[in-house]
Amino acid sequence: MTFALSLRRKRWIRITSRQWQRRGIFLLGGIGVGAAAVALAQLADLAQIAFADLLSISRYISLVVTPLGFALAVYLTNRFFPNAQGSGIPQAIAARHLTDPKARENLVSLRIAFGKVILTLFGLLCGASVGREGPTVQIGASIMFALGRFSPRRQPGLILAGAAAGVAAAFNTPLAGIVFGIEEMSRAFETRTSSLIIGAVVAAGLTSIALMGNYAYFGSSAMTLRNGIDWLAIPVCGVVGGLAGGLFSRMVIMMARGFSGPVGRAIKRYSLGFALICGFAVAICGIVSGDTVYGTGYSQVKSALESGTPLPANFAILKFLATTFASISGIPGGIFAPSLAVGAGIGTNVASLFPGAPLAAIMLLGMVSYFAGVVQAPITAFVIVTEMTDNHTMVVPLMAAAMIAYATSRWVCKEGIYHALAQGFIARATPHLPDNGVRSPD
């Protein structure tokens, strides 16, 4: 009897030890992701300030710096950090679906995370219309994957937790991080790892708050829709934002998959030349916009929301074009913040149809609509905009606009951008599988 109890106690100690080890890995990873997100945020601000200082010398210097910067970023990505291009979220999604540790490491690793940080900052330093939030997701997944070597069977859950913690820490939006992990990264609620993922998100969020303080990403906005006429802006923003977001996603997916004709072969063969052309197009957009569409668009949108001042009438279309060219060029950089900026521009334009309506409220509708149209994750869209603006009076209008935009976007682009791009990474990592290794992410 004593021997049996001793064995049972040893087994209980072993199981408990493993459980605490897993919890420790998730919490330690969350702290690491939070610190990395804060560091990237601070450095990204400095990079944009440095580019603005460069423009103060001459506005037209971007015609040289931006194209050459794009070409150099693509060269460095292809030569030293393959699979670091673009947002980084598709790579994290693909890594969750792969079973070969080596294939996963090619998509999420500390080496790629380092390259992602350097090249995202370099893109912002050259005026690229990119964000840092998508890269933070890949960086978070990479940090968790590295820690996952101590718990190999938990790697998919660790990658998911790293991605969710990245969103939470980048925007200071813990709830949005959890929703993003469920709706976009996994497209399912995983009971076994849900508490550990929440723990990682909390750890990342607390780390971010400890280093930067508690803040709303776009400041606090108390604006709300006032009367029946104002509420008509919801379907207008939903349809316009959904169509524009779907168009953006379709173009990016189409370019990522390539063309079969001579144009497609030329783009693939002369990738540096194509990046140069894209960089030149971004510089043109920047000059025409009065230097407002470079970078993330964060400062322009925050200023407009807080002051109630409309963005320029051409801001939405020029920011849309600048972000599109940056996204198809092959440089590392995200689309979260630029998409919200495009949406704010759309909201400004829609607000002109409703004289007297609160501008900030309609800008929020435009932001959630375009973002939902791009990522086709409506719950994440309205949760993240609500948390970023600390405006809970707009929850119902934002939900409605996000759902309308999602449905409208599906008419233009049948696939969500992140999962469509993830299939390409899965296919390249598993060419031996039937149907070129592309498996459904659902």
Side-chain angles (χ1 to χ4, degrees):
M1 177 67 70
T2 303
F3 179 72
L5 288 174
S6 178
L7 287 177
R8 188 179 302 171
R9 182 174 178 80
K10 288 180 179 178
R11 183 171 179 272
W12 178 83
I13 292 173
R14 187 168 60 251
I15 293 173
T16 303
S17 176
R18 289 175 180 173
Q19 289 176 342
W20 279 105
Q21 182 188 45
R22 288 197 297 268
R23 292 168 184 167
I25 289 171
F26 275 82
L27 291 175
L28 181 62
I31 293 171
V33 173
V38 169
L40 182 57
Q42 300 280 12
L43 292 171
D45 290 342
L46 292 176
Q48 292 181 91
I49 291 171
F51 182 73
D53 290 342
L54 195 64
L55 291 181
S56 66
I57 299 172
S58 172
R59 290 188 59 217
Y60 301 98
I61 201 169
S62 62
L63 292 172
V64 176
V65 172
T66 305
L68 291 178
F70 271 46
L72 181 57
V74 169
Y75 170 76
L76 293 174
T77 301
N78 295 341
R79 178 68 177 84
F80 300 105
F81 304 104
N83 296 323
Q85 70 271 26
S87 162
I89 295 176
Q91 292 92 317
I93 293 173
R96 274 181 41 81
H97 287 75
L98 297 170
T99 56
D100 179 19
K102 183 62 178 176
R104 280 179 176 159
E105 190 174 5
N106 290 333
L107 297 175
V108 287
S109 68
L110 292 181
R111 181 172 177 272
I112 288 179
F114 174 77
K116 196 77 172 186
V117 170
I118 298 300
L119 293 174
T120 299
L121 294 173
F122 184 73
L124 291 171
L125 190 62
C126 298
S129 179
V130 295
R132 56 175 171 80
E133 297 77 21
T136 305
V137 168
Q138 189 177 15
I139 292 165
S142 298
I143 292 172
M144 283 294 199
F145 178 78
L147 291 173
R149 295 181 184 279
F150 299 103
S151 183
R153 291 193 301 173
R154 290 283 181 173
Q155 282 180 350
L158 282 162
I159 292 170
L160 174 58
V167 170
F171 285 120
N172 189 31
T173 52
L175 182 57
I178 295 168
V179 172
F180 174 80
I182 295 171
E183 183 181 33
E184 187 63 14
M185 284 296 298
S186 67
R187 292 193 169 177
F189 182 77
E190 300 182 5
T191 306
R192 290 193 305 171
T193 58
S194 60
S195 61
L196 296 175
I197 292 168
I198 292 172
V201 168
V202 170
L206 289 176
T207 302
S208 175
I209 290 172
L211 295 174
M212 297 185 66
N214 194 11
Y215 66 97
Y217 188 83
F218 282 122
S220 297
S221 173
M223 285 293 182
T224 187
L225 301 177
R226 295 178 297 194
N227 53 51
I229 299 298
D230 291 355
W231 281 69
L232 291 177
I234 295 174
V236 176
C237 284
V239 171
V240 175
L243 289 174
L247 177 62
F248 172 84
S249 294
R250 184 161 185 172
M251 288 191 295
V252 172
I253 293 169
M254 182 176 62
M255 290 298 298
R257 291 176 174 170
F259 301 102
S260 57
V263 174
R265 289 193 295 271
I267 291 173
K268 186 175 181 180
R269 183 175 181 182
Y270 303 105
S271 59
L272 300 187
F274 181 68
L276 197 76
I277 293 171
C278 289
F280 186 76
V282 170
I284 293 295
C285 291
I287 291 170
V288 173
S289 72
D291 304 331
T292 61
V293 300
Y294 297 118
T296 62
Y298 164 76
S299 60
Q300 291 86 349
V301 174
K302 184 178 181 182
S303 176
L305 286 172
E306 289 182 339
S307 66
T309 304
L311 292 164
N314 62 0
F315 180 85
I317 183 63
L318 291 174
K319 187 65 174 175
F320 175 91
L321 291 173
T323 307
T324 301
F325 284 118
S327 298
I328 66 176
S329 68
I331 67 171
I335 60 175
F336 260 64
S339 293
L340 293 169
V342 174
I346 290 174
T348 295
N349 294 338
V350 171
S352 65
L353 304 176
F354 298 88
L359 173 64
I362 298 183
M363 284 178 65
L364 294 184
L365 292 177
M367 291 163 67
V368 77
S369 298
Y370 182 77
F371 186 73
V374 170
V375 301
Q376 295 189 1
I379 301 176
T380 298
F382 77 75
V383 170
I384 207 168
V385 171
T386 299
E387 282 195 286
M388 285 192 308
T389 57
D390 194 26
N391 187 336
H392 299 281
T393 61
M394 284 286 291
V395 168
V396 173
L398 291 176
M399 290 172 62
M403 295 307 300
I404 293 171
Y406 168 71
T408 306
S409 176
R410 298 281 291 182
W411 291 348
V412 181
C413 183
K414 300 297 182 184
E415 308 166 272
I417 185 170
Y418 294 136
H419 283 268
L421 296 177
Q423 289 182 21
F425 288 105
I426 294 172
R428 287 192 290 274
T430 54
H432 59 283
L433 293 180
D435 193 26
N436 202 27
V438 179
R439 292 172 285 179
S440 171
D442 297 323

